[in-house]
Structure formats: C-alpha cells, structure tokens
Amino acid sequence: MVTAKVWVLKKHFEGFPKTSDFDLKKIELPDLKDGELLLESVFLSVDPYMRPYSRRDMKEGDIMIGTQVARIVESKNPAFTVGDFVVARSGWRTHFISDGKDLQLLPSSWPESLPRSLALGTVGMPGLTAYFGLLEVCKMKPGETVLVNAAAGAVGSVVGQLAKIGGCKVVGCAGSDDKVAYLKEIGFDEAFNYKTVTSLDEALRKASPDGYDCFFDNVSSE
C-alpha cells in the first residue's frame, strides 16, 4: 500500500496565494486492480488558469488542480510499462492511480539532455498555445512585426522566440525591468516595462514606428 501526499485547497486565495491557503495531507492508496497503474509525480505545474478555475470548479477541501509529469511505478495495464513517463491531470499529489485513459505518454525517444519538465511548458500546453496561436490564428508571416504582451510569461516568451525563428521583428512588454532584461536575452528586438513608461502610446511607437502586423494578447483586458 502506498501513501500519497496531496495539497488540499484549505481556503480560496485572495491576491497572492499563501501557504496557509493549503494543507498537505496523506492519503492511503488502494491496491491496483486489473487495468490500473500507479504513478509517481516528478514535476507539478503552476499555471495562471488555476486562479479562476479553482474558484469556479473547486470546493475548499478538494485536492488542488494541476497537471504533472509522472513516472509509472507499477502497472496492471498492458498499454503502459513501468518506467515510462506520462503527462497527467491529477492535481497536486505525489502518487495516484489511473486507468490510463487520460494519460499522454511521453515519447520513448525523449532526449536525456532535455528536462521532462518541458512537457508542462514549452513542449506542453503553454508552448502549444503559443505555436498554434501564432501560426494558425495570427497567421504570422516572415518580415512582419509582432507585438506580445505579458511577454515574459510561459506563453509570451515562446511566442517571441517562435516569431524570431519565423523571421519577424518582435516587440514585447512586461511588468518589471528584470523581465525586460530577460526578453532581450531570449532575442526580442525591443522590450519595455509598461509600468514605468510615461506613455504607452509613445513606447509602442518608439519600439516600432511603422506599427504592428500581429498582436499576441496574453492578457485580454483593456
């Protein structure tokens, strides 16, 4: 029998989440049935969607929602082999049991030089949002100028790098000087701190006097 540690939402958080908003509890997991497998979480995600979704979908006392990269430690399901890695959506917990239906196997050819945490970031949901948003929705073309807000975030930072690979000029805005410096490090042509510029219109014109062809909006506010 395996004891799992789980993070429980003790109180819906206001503003920045606090340790006191959560409880760490232990749960005894039952023995596996045929068709089931036992998994151990290796990486847990922390994503912006957790704020509205936890308030909308969770009751206080529920296990915190989230995605993980997990390793299979025991299997009674012929489709899954011990030692394989998967992406799952089983919340913040160290161990869990699955019937395999909602698991996504990581490729067996995953390079050892790449951390598997990327399956929750650049190669996962944030990276796919950036990729398809930029190429399928914005329909970016080489030579265009792309503007990205919240550009230092998990999605925005990938958008900027993809746009540069695609032959575009890329302008990003972020909320701190450290984030602006990071944007320059990863190849953004221009970047500014929207909290400290005297005029947003002026900052946008200065960064790209000829305007913008594509605006990748990560904020959805005025």
Side-chain angles (χ1 to χ4, degrees):
M1 186 173 291
V2 173
T3 300
K5 295 179 181 179
V6 301
W7 282 105
V8 170
L9 182 67
K10 182 178 179 181
K11 180 178 180 297
H12 285 290
F13 46 88
E14 300 287 344
F16 198 83
K18 304 178 294 299
T19 304
S20 59
D21 294 330
F22 303 91
D23 267 341
L24 185 60
K25 295 187 175 182
K26 295 181 179 180
I27 296 177
E28 298 292 332
L29 299 181
D31 294 332
L32 292 185
K33 300 175 184 176
D34 288 341
E36 292 183 334
L37 50 153
L38 173 66
L39 300 104
E40 179 181 31
S41 298
V42 181
F43 298 103
L44 300 178
S45 71
V46 181
D47 292 296
Y49 76 80
M50 292 174 172
R51 178 181 296 279
Y53 277 56
S54 62
R55 185 166 291 279
R56 188 191 74 179
D57 299 334
M58 292 181 63
K59 304 185 302 295
E60 293 177 355
D62 289 347
I63 295 173
M64 187 62 192
I65 57 175
T67 309
Q68 63 257 94
V69 171
R71 182 175 62 87
I72 299 169
V73 294
E74 186 180 348
S75 177
K76 290 189 176 182
N77 186 320
F80 296 90
T81 303
V82 171
D84 285 347
F85 289 86
V86 303
V87 174
R89 295 170 180 80
S90 296
W92 289 0
R93 57 180 93 206
T94 59
H95 298 81
F96 58 98
I97 292 172
S98 169
D99 61 8
K101 293 179 180 177
D102 296 326
L103 303 179
Q104 293 176 298
L105 270 170
L106 293 189
S108 58
S109 58
W110 188 282
E112 285 300 321
S113 59
L114 292 181
R116 290 185 175 88
S117 59
L118 290 177
L120 301 177
T122 307
V123 190
M125 178 270 290
L128 292 174
T129 301
Y131 183 89
F132 289 104
L134 188 62
L135 298 183
E136 298 295 328
V137 180
C138 288
K139 299 189 184 300
M140 174 210 78
K141 300 178 184 64
E144 292 186 334
T145 300
V146 177
L147 172 65
V148 189
N149 65 4
V155 175
S157 60
V158 177
V159 170
Q161 293 174 85
L162 289 174
K164 286 301 297 179
I165 291 170
C168 293
K169 175 181 177 178
V170 185
V171 177
C173 60
S176 76
D177 291 340
D178 286 343
K179 291 178 180 179
V180 169
Y182 168 68
L183 295 179
K184 290 297 188 72
E185 286 177 15
I186 62 174
F188 277 66
D189 295 288
E190 300 288 344
F192 61 88
N193 182 344
Y194 69 88
K195 292 182 179 179
T196 57
V197 295
T198 54
S199 166
L200 185 57
D201 287 341
E202 277 184 29
L204 290 168
R205 279 196 293 270
K206 180 180 178 181
S208 179
D210 295 327
Y212 301 89
D213 302 289
C214 170
F215 173 39
F216 199 106
D217 180 15
N218 287 294
V219 179
S220 300
S221 66
E222 184 179 353

